[in-house]
Each structure stands twice: as structure tokens, then as C-alpha cells.
């Protein structure tokens, strides 16, 4: 299969944006953990564990929205 | 710095255990702790970043880093024989993202694009049943062969890509004439050199009809390249057949729009394979 220059640029841009997105999610997760976990630990954690933590945070945000309580 | 995080002890439990299809035969002893029940860990966020770094993917460094991170019993992933590589990558995929591999297929009839899932277990089962020939006899000469290592394979792939790009980008733009022909000849010579390198690299020993053996790579290469073509062709044919045997057979899928039956091949190409998240 032959990749033209523009294909390679597109692929490269796409991967770069995925990496940025991943980093954004990790730092956001670290922020929500309020110091409970360092970003470096998260970068070395299983991708599955990161998904679980993200789900817990989303659930907590939903709960705080429903109850009107501040998100701690 | 000592890691005092309370999460440390919960980090990275093995997700599955694998036995290497090669049974560890082609690995240098110090580079492989064991060949059975190797722990496979899920990928980390850092591993994901590595496999999304184009340069690291191109050079093979990303794959090597991820394998060593997810299967610590493999000490030097560059030396993994190609007989094991798909099995190892499929098991890391299984440990990290679950049991299904996403496939895309464009219908040959109506051009509709569908997504399908293939259980990774199918790939694991296939890669465990691959049969390859590592001993051949030609005119009473015996040739003992080995699979290429991931390092050798990556180097060959890189050279092939470079030649392909030159063909498409430079040569295609050149005007017909002697200069273009000379450039084409040069590129075909380079391709032949790559094939020669690949074929010769797979030979570990030659036994003569008298029972004498030669395992010096330089002498073997000389014998093969300058000797009777029959020897080189027989080894090349076995090398190519061994490579073909590692290719997963296409899977039949049905188009959701017109119900036309198409075939699609599971893509184990490392860059796209890992990027299907």
C-alpha cells in the first residue's frame, strides 16, 4: 500500500491530536482526583483503570448535578 | 524517587498468560525469562502515547517499547522471531482493549462502508497453528533455517518503503529515457539486494553431502549468492512460503446495505492495529 505525502501528514496529524486528547484526559483526571493521584502515576496506569476512574468521576458529577450538592 | 502512591500495589496486574507459539526456540537465552505462562499486562497511557508517535511506529521503537512494557519476560523485543510477533501483539490488544478487533470493510458492490468485529481469540488460535518449514534439502545439501527477527523485518520494511517512495515520487515524475531506466535499474537492484539479505539471514547452517557443516554467515552468503541458483531459489521459496503461512485468511462479511458478501483481512499492521481504539 502506498501512502502519499498528504496521507502521511493526515495520519500524523490524527495521531498527534489523539495524543493531545489522551494527555488532556489524564491531566483532567489528575485535577478531579484533587491530589489523590499524580499525573505521572496515571500515565503509568492501565488504560482500563483510567477508563474506570473517568467513569467514577462522571458518575459523581451527575450525582452532584442531580442533588445540587457541590462536587467534592 | 520511591513511589509511595497507595495505587502502586494495585497497578498493572497481569490480564492474561500466554505460551509463545515458538516455545522460545529462537530467542537468545538471556533475553527471555520463560516461554510458557508469560504474564501479559494491559497497555499504559504512556504505551498508548508511544504507539501514536509516527516516527516511533515507523522505526519499530514504539512496538518494541510496548511489548517490553506489557510482557516484561521478554527482555529484548527486537529479537522476537516473526513467528511470535502477531500472537504477542494480539494478546497485548486483548489484555488492553477487550476481546474484539474492529474491522472496516467497503462493499465491492455498493461502496457502503461497514464496521465489523472479529474476536481476537480467532487471531490467537490462528497464529498458534501456523506451520513453517525450517529445514530443507536440495541436492543432498541440508539447509537449517530460522525466522527473521522483528529487528531484521523492520529494517527490511523500512528499506522497501524507501524504495517504494522513490519509485512513486521521483521516478514517476522523470521523463522516459536513459536516466529514468538507469534509476529504475538501480531501484530494482536495491530490491534484489534486500531479498538476498532477507533470504541469507534466515539460514543458520548448511550441511554438505559429506556431512560437514558451515554456520559462518559470510561463507553461507557467498555460497548461496555465487553458487548454483537452485540453492538460493529453494531457500527463497521456503522463506516466502513461510511468510505466506503467517498471513491470516480473509474473513467473509455481509454488506448491511445490499447484503453482498465481501471478504476483509484482519489488519495486524502494527500502526493501524493499535490505533483502532
Amino acid at each position: 500500500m502506498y501512502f502519499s505525502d498528504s496521507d502521511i501528514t493526515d495520519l500524523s496529524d490524527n495521531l498527534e491530536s489523539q495524543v493531545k486528547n489522551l494527555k488532556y484526559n489524564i491531566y483532567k483526571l489528575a485535577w478531579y482526583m484533587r491530589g489523590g493521584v499524580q499525573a505521572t502515576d496515571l500515565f503509568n496506569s492501565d488504560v482500563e483503570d483510567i477508563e474506570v476512574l473517568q467513569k467514577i468521576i462522571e458518575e459523581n458529577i451527575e450525582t452532584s448535578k442531580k442533588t445540587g450538592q457541590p462536587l467534592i | 524517587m520511591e513511589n509511595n502512591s497507595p495505587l502502586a500495589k494495585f497497578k498493572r496486574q497481569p490480564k492474561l498468560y500466554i505460551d509463545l507459539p515458538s516455545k522460545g526456540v529462537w530467542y537468545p537465552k538471556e533475553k527471555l525469562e520463560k516461554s510458557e505462562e508469560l504474564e501479559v499486562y494491559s497497555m499504559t497511557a504512556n504505551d498508548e502515547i508511544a504507539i501514536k508517535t509516527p516516527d516511533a511506529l515507523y522505526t519499530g521503537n514504539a512496538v518494541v517499547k510496548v511489548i517490553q512494557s506489557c510482557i516484561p519476560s521478554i527482555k529484548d523485543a527486537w529479537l522476537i522471531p516473526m513467528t511470535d510477533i502477531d500472537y504477542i501483539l494480539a494478546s497485548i490488544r486483548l489484555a488492553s482493549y477487550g476481546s474484539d478487533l474492529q474491522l472496516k470493510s467497503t462493499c465491492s458492490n455498493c461502496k457502503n462502508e461497514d464496521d465489523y468485529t472479529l474476536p481476537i481469540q480467532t487471531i490467537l488460535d490462528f497464529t498458534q497453528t501456523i506451520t513453517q518449514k525450517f529445514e530443507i534439502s536440495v541436492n543432498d545439501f541440508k539447509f537449517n533455517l530460522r525466522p527473521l527477527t522483528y529487528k531484521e523485518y523492520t529494517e527490511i520494511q523500512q528499506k522497501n518503503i524507501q524504495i517504494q517512495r522513490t519509485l512513486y515520487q521521483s521516478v514517476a515524475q522523470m521523463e522516459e529515457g536513459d536516466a529514468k531506466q538507469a534509476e529504475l535499474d538501480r531501484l530494482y537492484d536495491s530490491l534484489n539486494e534486500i531479498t538476498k539479505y532477507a533470504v541469507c539471514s534466515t539460514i543458520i547452517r548448511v550441511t554438505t553431502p559429506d556431512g560437514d557443516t558451515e554456520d559462518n554467515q559470510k561463507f553461507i552468503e557467498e555460497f548461496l549468492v555465487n553458487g548454483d541458483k537452485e540453492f538460493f531459489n529453494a531457500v527463497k521459496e521456503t522463506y516466502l512460503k513461510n511468510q505466506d503461512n503467517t498471513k491470516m485468511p480473509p474473513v467473509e462479511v455481509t454488506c448491511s446495505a445490499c447484503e453482498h458478501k465481501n471478504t476483509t483481512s484482519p489488519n495486524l499492521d502494527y500502526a493501524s492495529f493499535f490505533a483502532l481504539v
Side-chain angles (χ1 to χ4, degrees), chain B:
Chain B
M1 189 181 78
E2 200 184 341
N3 185 353
N4 292 321
S5 166
L7 290 175
K9 63 183 169 192
F10 296 108
K11 266 195 290 190
R12 304 203 80 199
Q13 303 294 321
K15 294 284 166 63
L16 61 137
Y17 294 83
I18 57 167
D19 297 343
L20 293 175
S22 71
K23 305 200 185 315
V25 170
W26 311 107
Y27 293 78
K29 265 185 190 162
E30 69 280 10
K31 302 295 181 193
L32 184 71
E33 274 179 13
K34 52 188 172 181
S35 63
E36 290 179 345
E37 296 192 12
L38 279 82
E39 298 86 355
V40 183
Y41 294 82
S42 159
M43 283 166 64
T44 66
N46 269 334
D47 295 333
E48 261 207 66
I49 291 173
I51 53 144
K52 285 172 178 161
T53 307
D55 281 351
L57 277 173
Y58 175 70
T59 58
N61 279 313
V63 172
V64 166
K65 183 181 176 293
V66 169
I67 292 174
Q68 288 175 186
S69 159
C70 297
I71 310 182
S73 298
I74 297 175
K75 301 292 176 201
D76 187 348
W78 284 116
L79 301 178
I80 293 174
M82 288 308 290
T83 43
D84 282 349
I85 204 92
D86 282 345
Y87 185 79
I88 285 170
L89 292 172
S91 56
I92 292 173
R93 182 75 174 73
L94 179 63
S96 306
Y97 304 116
S99 56
D100 289 329
L101 178 67
Q102 303 296 319
L103 299 176
K104 268 191 194 310
S105 173
T106 306
C107 177
S108 58
N109 187 38
C110 69
K111 306 293 170 211
N112 171 50
E113 202 173 79
D114 275 324
D115 288 324
Y116 302 92
T117 55
L118 177 75
I120 292 191
Q121 194 57 48
T122 318
I123 301 173
L124 292 173
D125 291 344
F126 169 77
T127 47
Q128 268 186 320
T129 56
I130 290 170
T131 51
Q132 294 191 314
K133 210 171 169 186
F134 292 113
E135 194 181 301
I136 57 166
S137 290
V138 188
N139 296 342
D140 295 331
F141 279 82
K142 196 173 90 184
F143 292 84
N144 291 95
L145 312 176
R146 66 167 175 85
L148 290 176
T149 62
Y150 182 62
K151 178 137 187 93
E152 290 165 333
Y153 174 81
T154 310
E155 283 170 359
I156 290 167
Q157 284 297 99
Q158 280 178 16
K159 285 179 190 159
N160 270 328
I161 290 171
Q162 281 162 10
I163 292 173
Q164 241 181 37
R165 289 189 67 75
T166 315
L167 261 175
Y168 281 101
Q169 290 185 323
S170 314
V171 180
Q173 314 293 326
M174 289 170 80
E175 279 181 32
E176 293 297 330
D178 290 348
K180 182 172 183 171
Q181 193 53 49
E183 183 62 6
L184 274 173
D185 290 345
R186 191 186 67 79
L187 290 174
Y188 286 127
D189 279 349
S190 306
L191 274 175
N192 284 336
E193 281 301 313
I194 294 170
T195 310
K196 209 161 71 186
Y197 165 75
V199 170
C200 292
S201 301
T202 62
I203 305 171
I204 45 178
R205 181 173 298 122
V206 180
T207 309
T208 68
D210 306 330
D212 297 325
T213 58
E214 179 59 79
D215 42 25
N216 183 310
Q217 201 62 38
K218 197 173 159 242
F219 294 140
I220 292 175
E221 192 175 326
E222 256 178 34
F223 173 71
L224 215 68
V225 173
N226 302 321
D228 197 331
K229 275 275 166 237
E230 207 177 335
F231 295 123
F232 181 81
N233 289 339
V235 178
K236 183 180 165 186
E237 198 185 312
T238 311
Y239 161 74
L240 293 174
K241 207 176 262 179
N242 281 346
Q243 272 200 325
D244 273 351
N245 287 348
T246 61
K247 285 180 192 151
M248 179 100 184
V251 181
E252 194 178 79
V253 292
T254 309
C255 173
S256 65
C258 70
E259 298 198 342
H260 182 76
K261 294 211 183 304
N262 299 285
T263 55
T264 182
S265 296
N267 193 354
L268 289 178
D269 171 61
Y270 312 121
S272 53
F273 178 59
F274 277 111
L276 287 168
V277 185

Side-chain angles (χ1 to χ4, degrees), chain A residues 3 5 18 43-44 46-47, chain B residues 43 46 48 52 165 169:
Chain A
F3 280 102
D5 282 351
Q18 286 183 43
F43 276 112
N44 288 314
D46 281 7
V47 282
Chain B
M43 283 166 64
N46 269 334
E48 261 207 66
K52 285 172 178 161
R165 289 189 67 75
Q169 290 185 323

